[in-house]
Amino acid sequence: MKHLLLASVAALCLAAPALANDTMAELRTGGLAYVISTDVSMVEENLFLSMDEVRVDYVFQNSGDKDIESIIAFPMPDITARPESNVAIPDYETDNFLGFSVTQDGKAITPQLQQRVSALSVDYTDLLKANKVPFRPYADKTLEALKALPPETLKDWESKGLVYADTFDAGQGMQTVYTPIWTLQSVYYWKTTFPAKKPVRVSHRYKPSVGGTVAISFLSEGKTNETYASYKDRYCIDDAFLKTAMKLEKASRSGGPYYTESWLSYVLKTGANWGGSISKFKLTIDKGKPDNYLSLCADGIKKTGPTTFVMEKTDFWPEKDLDVLFLVSNPPLQQ
């Protein structure tokens, strides 16, 4: 079933660096990862999604007769830099670029962070560390560190697929600027104990990566274009949503509110790693403003308030991740 929802492209643009084009890709985020277990089950998962925050509250239960000590991990989405590409990252300058935080049974946890850098499937973490180059590919400090490297080092890194050499006429002769094209993999993790026959409550929060574009890109002059088929499949767009989008696009050309797209992706399938199905699952989506719209693949989701939608399941097996398309209301364009 599909529905109508949120997003603020203004906030998105404020969080982004200067853009080379009018599209920003979202990063796929999700919940906690854990080794497949038959004893520790996810009794409850309460998932809240909005453009400003993701909140997930879990209740785990160890059904065995002995305490289980294990590692829980939160995989951050991979960041792969590309020339002239834009990725929606809430904070480009810090390692905790999603503002991730976690509590267990009401107590704050300080997780450890593991980061690796790779290019062309080869690990170069130690190489960047030895040259004192930050791992974050879009950070200003990273670009400054690259400028300080010797030319022969930069040429070597270019051959390894770590950096891209952009040569252009700067008005005072040709100039070459090296930009990162490596992939950063980050994961937060901590050791925990699941006591026998007792529930454990874990909650985590972070700011999602919300991508977008500056128009309704699957429409051209009031008709669907070549991108519509992929949109229809990914976001389960139905006839009612398509007609609404066409009306909004037509109205924006006549002085009405101007609608743009935002996208949010959430990796839901990691919940299947825990023992058995999720006994009680609840998804809540807050669209922020009543005049925004959304479409997603979510069977049985219902509107519960002016901006909220809820889906509840029992014995839930998360077989598919969530992809949400938002149509976002903006002030009319000046004629």
Side-chain angles (χ1 to χ4, degrees), residues 67-298:
D67 294 355
I68 295 177
E69 187 177 83
S70 186
I71 295 291
I72 296 181
F74 175 73
M76 302 275 274
D78 290 355
I79 298 177
T80 300
R82 289 288 181 264
E84 299 183 0
S85 68
N86 303 302
V87 178
I89 301 173
D91 190 340
Y92 289 82
E93 303 300 326
T94 65
D95 290 330
N96 190 6
F97 52 85
L98 297 181
F100 173 75
S101 64
V102 60
T103 65
Q104 182 166 317
D105 292 327
K107 296 180 180 179
I109 292 174
T110 302
Q112 298 183 66
L113 173 63
Q114 174 183 283
Q115 292 185 307
R116 310 299 299 179
V117 170
S118 63
L120 302 177
S121 300
V122 178
D123 190 299
Y124 291 111
T125 306
D126 293 340
L127 180 63
L128 265 69
K129 188 180 298 183
N131 284 273
K132 299 181 180 180
V133 175
F135 296 161
R136 303 178 299 277
Y138 288 102
D140 291 338
K141 289 183 179 180
T142 303
L143 299 178
E144 291 300 318
L146 288 178
K147 291 179 182 179
L149 293 179
E152 59 271 19
T153 299
L154 289 169
K155 293 298 294 184
D156 177 59
W157 285 24
E158 182 183 7
S159 69
K160 288 179 168 65
L162 283 165
V163 296
Y164 170 76
D166 185 14
T167 302
F168 55 92
D169 188 349
Q172 297 178 343
M174 300 303 291
Q175 180 178 344
T176 299
V177 174
Y178 290 89
T179 58
I181 54 173
W182 62 73
T183 296
L184 172 62
Q185 298 171 311
S186 306
V187 58
Y188 280 100
Y189 66 97
W190 61 97
K191 184 180 291 187
T192 193
T193 299
F194 296 96
K197 309 297 183 181
K198 291 183 180 180
V200 172
R201 300 178 184 274
V202 178
S203 300
H204 66 80
R205 309 283 187 264
Y206 61 89
K207 187 174 179 63
S209 167
V210 181
T213 187
V214 297
I216 301 178
S217 61
F218 59 89
L219 297 178
S220 299
E221 297 182 354
K223 298 181 180 179
T224 58
N225 55 35
E226 64 277 2
T227 66
Y228 175 68
S230 62
Y231 270 62
K232 183 177 181 179
D233 179 64
R234 182 177 183 182
Y235 302 110
C236 291
I237 294 177
D238 62 10
D239 290 341
F241 183 87
L242 178 59
K243 289 179 180 179
T244 297
M246 288 179 170
K247 290 180 180 179
L248 296 174
E249 193 267 345
K250 181 179 180 180
S252 69
R253 288 186 278 118
S254 303
Y258 185 75
Y259 276 82
T260 55
E261 294 178 16
S262 284
W263 320 303
L264 188 154
S265 296
Y266 185 88
V267 179
L268 194 62
K269 291 187 292 186
T270 52
N273 288 346
W274 301 84
S277 61
I278 303 173
S279 301
K280 189 176 180 181
F281 175 80
K282 181 178 180 180
L283 166 66
T284 302
I285 301 180
D286 189 333
K287 69 176 183 176
K289 296 190 300 183
D291 54 350
N292 293 333
Y293 299 83
L294 79 78
S295 186
L296 76 157
C297 303

